[in-house]
Amino acid sequence: MVRMGANISATAAAAVVRGPAQLSGTTVQASDLRASAGLVLAALVASGETIIDRVYHIDRGYEGISRKLQSLGADITRIHAPSA
């Protein structure tokens, strides 16, 4: 989320998030299930387009998340990387 403009600092014991911050769309990488869900929510409020790579984490824990968010009005599209 820092890549998107969030003001976050972390230590071994805690993370401090300062806001408000205007988030901007960019390319990010899903690293685990909960972080992936957080990236989706951040992308929904960010200006511009956000691309989330490695969405298999999201798929593992949130069945049909794209469809469900679209039903709530989210502008979200699944894209597939071109085959090599």
Side-chain angles (χ1 to χ4, degrees):
M1 288 184 203
V2 171
R3 293 192 70 212
M4 298 175 80
N7 184 357
I8 302 172
S9 57
T11 66
V16 177
V17 180
R18 289 185 169 72
Q22 176 61 46
L23 300 180
S24 300
T26 190
T27 299
V28 293
Q29 191 173 76
S31 59
D32 65 43
L33 179 59
R34 288 163 193 86
S36 301
L39 288 173
V40 169
L41 295 176
L44 289 172
V45 300
S47 61
E49 181 177 88
T50 300
I51 297 174
I52 303 173
D53 290 326
R54 296 177 54 178
V55 295
Y56 58 86
H57 294 292
I58 298 168
D59 292 337
R60 187 183 74 213
Y62 300 99
E63 183 178 341
I65 191 168
S66 299
R67 177 181 39 79
K68 290 174 183 175
L69 290 171
Q70 286 171 337
S71 74
L72 296 172
D75 182 7
I76 183 169
T77 305
R78 293 184 72 95
I79 58 173
H80 301 279
S83 300

